């Protein structure tokens, strides 16, 4: 039987570079001790106080169908959080609660793209981006950013690729590069969106993980609140990856249509999860800081280790739970390096290439293991790279 092009072509360019990840998982299953620095998941679990709120809600009966747009409490809480942080007037009518940020990214593209429209995204990119855009029926078009620009996008390059585009997807703080887009970058992007009449889909799931600089939501920029859809999530800010709770914030008209879409797709998010999310958000900054702290600490430790050598380059790690390391001095591709590192030292990292061609010659290191093992692994990566670089020089 024939299947749709939409489903069979979802990840037509995907798969590359994930071999290392699956090989590491296989080695673990076979009993090897592998240091995994691959995926973006905290080494702590959801805070017990959040679990208590979840348990209480479920026991009080919030286990039936919840309101499809989200509970009033959570929509109000998310609206207040965004308004407090951005100054943009926001009410529950600007908020749809989704089963995680990923469902929000998909819904946002369905809301603005017709079949055949071009959805723009930036390379390097979070793994699901092209498939999410294609899943919405649109054509996914990547625009390169460069290590030399510290992976800050340039509006003129986006503009040059924008013919036929209806949307631009950005992510700051960025996975996989750790870049936090500065005001100048965002002003350029905002101007381009206004000139080209583009929707801006702003993935802000790492907004509580900023180590250097400041998170600016593009929804705050002049003329942008009416054309920006912000995607947020409890996954990273509150270590609630498995709870699947996120949101889309945007103009009321878009949210009204997205509620209709949710009625015909997800039918909402469990009420006890939403109550736990409301509790967690209302616990305020202190809890978010506590959850971000291990990454802040490890990032500082990593900067120290990397500053003490000169083979491996660190892309400015301004935010999110990853380091993007430049290993081009070894003469290997990111994939070759990652495979060799796994074989030689049983350390698993993601090849830059698995996030797009712009990250070739890089590896992404997730800061998601305890400080001691993290520092040891990073030191090993540096020595391994230095040895490879020496061999490379000797061979030329
Ligand atoms: N956007 C980015 C950039 C991510 O890294 C992730 C998860 N790794 C998501 C969105 C989706 O997160 P979730 O669906 O868990 O909210």
């Amino acid at each position: 039987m024939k299947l749709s092009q939409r489903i069979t072509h979802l990840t037509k360019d995907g798969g590359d570079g994930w071999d290392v990840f699956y090989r590491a998982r296989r080695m673990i299953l076979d009993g090897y001790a592998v240091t995994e620095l691959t995926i973006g998941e905290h080494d702590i679990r959801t805070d017990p106080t959040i679990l208590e709120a979840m348990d209480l809600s479920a026991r009080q009966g919030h286990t039936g169908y919840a309101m499809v747009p989200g509970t009033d409490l959570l929509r109000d809480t998310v609206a207040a959080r965004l308004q407090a942080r951005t100054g943009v007037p926001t009410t529950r009518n600007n908020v749809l609660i989704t089963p995680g940020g990923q469902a929000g990214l998909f819904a946002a593209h369905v809301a603005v793209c017709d079949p055949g429209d071009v959805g723009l995204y930036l390379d390097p990119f979070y793994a699901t981006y092209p498939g999410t855009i294609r899943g919405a029926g649109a054509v996914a078009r990547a625009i390169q950013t460069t290590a030399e620009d510290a992976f800050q996008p340039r509006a003129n390059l986006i503009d040059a690729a924008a013919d036929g585009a209806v949307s631009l997807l950005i992510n700051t703080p960025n996975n996989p590069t750790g870049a936090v887009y500065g005001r100048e970058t965002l002003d350029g992007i905002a101007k381009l969106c206004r000139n080209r009449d583009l929707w801006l889909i702003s993935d802000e799931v790492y907004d509580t993980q900023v180590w250097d600089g400041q998170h600016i939501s593009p929804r705050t920029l002049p003329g942008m609140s009416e054309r920006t859809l912000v995607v947020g999530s409890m996954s990273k800010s509150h270590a609630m990856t498995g709870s699947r709770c996120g949101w889309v914030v945007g103009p009321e008209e878009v949210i009204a249509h997205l509620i209709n879409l949710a009625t015909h797709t997800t039918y909402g998010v469990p009420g006890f999860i939403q109550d736990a999310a409301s509790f967690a958000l209302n616990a305020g900054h202190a809890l978010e800081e506590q959850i971000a702290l291990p990454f802040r600490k490890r990032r500082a430790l990593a900067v120290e280790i990397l500053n003490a050598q000169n083979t491996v380059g660190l892309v400015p790690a301004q935010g999110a739970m990853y380091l993007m390391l430049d290993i081009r001095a070894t003469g290997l591709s990111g994939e070759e390096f990652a495979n060799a590192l796994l074989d030689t030292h049983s350390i698993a990292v993601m090849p830059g290439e698995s996030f797009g061609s712009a990250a070739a010659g890089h590896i992404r290191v997730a800061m998601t293991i305890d400080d001691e093992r993290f520092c040891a692994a990073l030191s090993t990566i540096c020595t391994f790279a230095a040895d490879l670089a020496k061999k490379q020089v000797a061979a030329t």
Side-chain angles (χ1 to χ4, degrees):
M1 291 294 289
K2 183 181 166 299
L3 291 170
S4 75
Q5 293 259 335
R6 187 179 292 195
I7 202 84
T8 54
H9 286 66
L10 206 60
T11 51
K12 61 180 177 206
D13 53 359
D16 296 348
W18 284 85
D19 298 354
V20 185
F21 172 75
Y22 291 116
R23 212 153 66 74
R25 281 286 154 102
R26 168 61 45 204
M27 284 168 72
I28 293 167
L29 286 176
D30 291 344
Y32 289 94
V34 174
T35 305
E36 266 197 303
L37 302 169
T38 47
I39 56 169
E41 186 146 41
H42 314 66
D43 46 326
I44 52 160
R45 300 283 97 183
T46 305
D47 195 79
T49 58
I50 301 176
L51 296 180
E52 274 160 30
M54 198 183 289
D55 181 65
L56 183 68
S57 168
R59 284 177 194 283
Q60 284 176 344
H62 218 166
T63 53
Y65 290 125
M67 296 278 284
V68 171
T71 62
D72 287 352
L73 175 62
L74 184 54
R75 294 173 83 199
D76 287 347
T77 302
V78 170
R81 180 183 196 257
L82 261 78
Q83 182 166 316
R85 289 176 188 202
T86 63
V88 182
T90 309
T91 73
R92 78 171 66 140
N93 296 328
N94 300 112
V95 181
L96 170 78
I97 303 303
T98 59
Q102 180 56 46
L105 288 169
F106 178 71
H109 281 95
V110 172
V112 301
C113 296
D114 274 318
D117 284 344
V118 172
L120 303 173
Y121 67 107
L122 300 165
D123 182 345
F125 50 89
Y126 170 52
T128 67
Y129 279 7
T132 302
I133 295 170
R134 288 188 202 116
V139 176
R141 184 182 293 160
I143 297 149
Q144 305 276 308
T145 60
T146 64
E148 287 60 43
D149 287 340
F151 295 111
Q152 295 275 331
R154 289 187 188 219
N156 61 334
L157 296 185
I158 303 174
D159 191 49
D163 285 351
V166 298
S167 63
L168 168 65
L169 169 58
I170 65 167
N171 170 222
T172 178
N174 189 273
N175 175 14
T177 66
V180 172
Y181 295 173
R183 180 162 295 278
E184 210 181 310
T185 299
L186 288 168
D187 278 341
I189 286 175
K191 189 166 164 214
L192 159 91
C193 289
R194 291 190 303 263
N195 288 347
R196 284 274 189 170
D197 200 21
L198 297 181
W199 286 97
L200 184 62
I201 300 176
S202 179
D203 179 344
E204 303 182 23
V205 304
Y206 293 99
D207 66 347
T208 62
Q209 298 180 1
V210 180
W211 325 127
D212 188 12
Q214 190 200 351
H215 171 65
I216 302 169
S217 172
R219 185 166 175 260
T220 60
L221 301 177
M224 290 307 289
S225 67
E226 57 264 42
R227 61 173 68 250
T228 303
L229 302 177
V230 173
V231 174
S233 171
M234 299 302 293
S235 289
K236 313 293 174 173
S237 58
H238 292 82
M240 290 178 71
T241 46
S243 290
R244 314 307 306 133
C245 188
W247 51 82
V248 180
V249 171
E252 284 189 18
E253 187 195 353
V254 183
I255 297 303
H257 286 296
L258 283 180
I259 292 168
N260 196 19
L261 178 68
T263 303
H264 295 88
T265 51
T266 62
Y267 214 76
V269 174
F272 55 93
I273 297 287
Q274 296 195 61
D275 284 345
S278 302
F279 168 86
L281 290 173
N282 283 313
H285 266 307
L287 181 57
E288 294 176 5
E289 284 287 314
Q290 180 192 317
I291 292 160
L293 188 64
F295 303 124
R296 184 185 292 283
K297 255 176 68 191
R298 287 169 204 158
R299 183 260 188 192
L301 293 167
V303 168
E304 247 177 64
I305 293 170
L306 289 157
N307 278 348
Q309 54 83 59
N310 50 22
T311 310
V312 178
L314 173 64
V315 172
Q318 298 170 287
M321 52 175 83
Y322 316 95
L323 305 172
M324 184 61 97
L325 303 183
D326 183 344
I327 50 88
R328 285 177 288 183
T330 64
L332 299 186
S333 69
E335 198 164 353
E336 288 164 342
F337 184 92
N339 274 307
L341 183 69
L342 184 59
D343 290 335
T344 318
H345 293 290
S346 299
I347 296 173
V349 298
M350 293 299 293
E353 291 84 0
S354 47
F355 307 101
S357 55
H362 289 69
I363 54 168
R364 191 196 72 172
V365 174
M367 300 188 280
T368 48
I369 57 171
D370 67 78
D371 302 1
E372 203 177 315
R373 286 169 65 229
F374 174 70
C375 289
L378 211 53
S379 299
T380 305
I381 290 172
C382 291
T383 338
F384 184 61
D387 287 347
L388 286 168
K390 261 188 236 141
K391 278 187 207 147
Q392 146 100 349
V393 171
T396 49

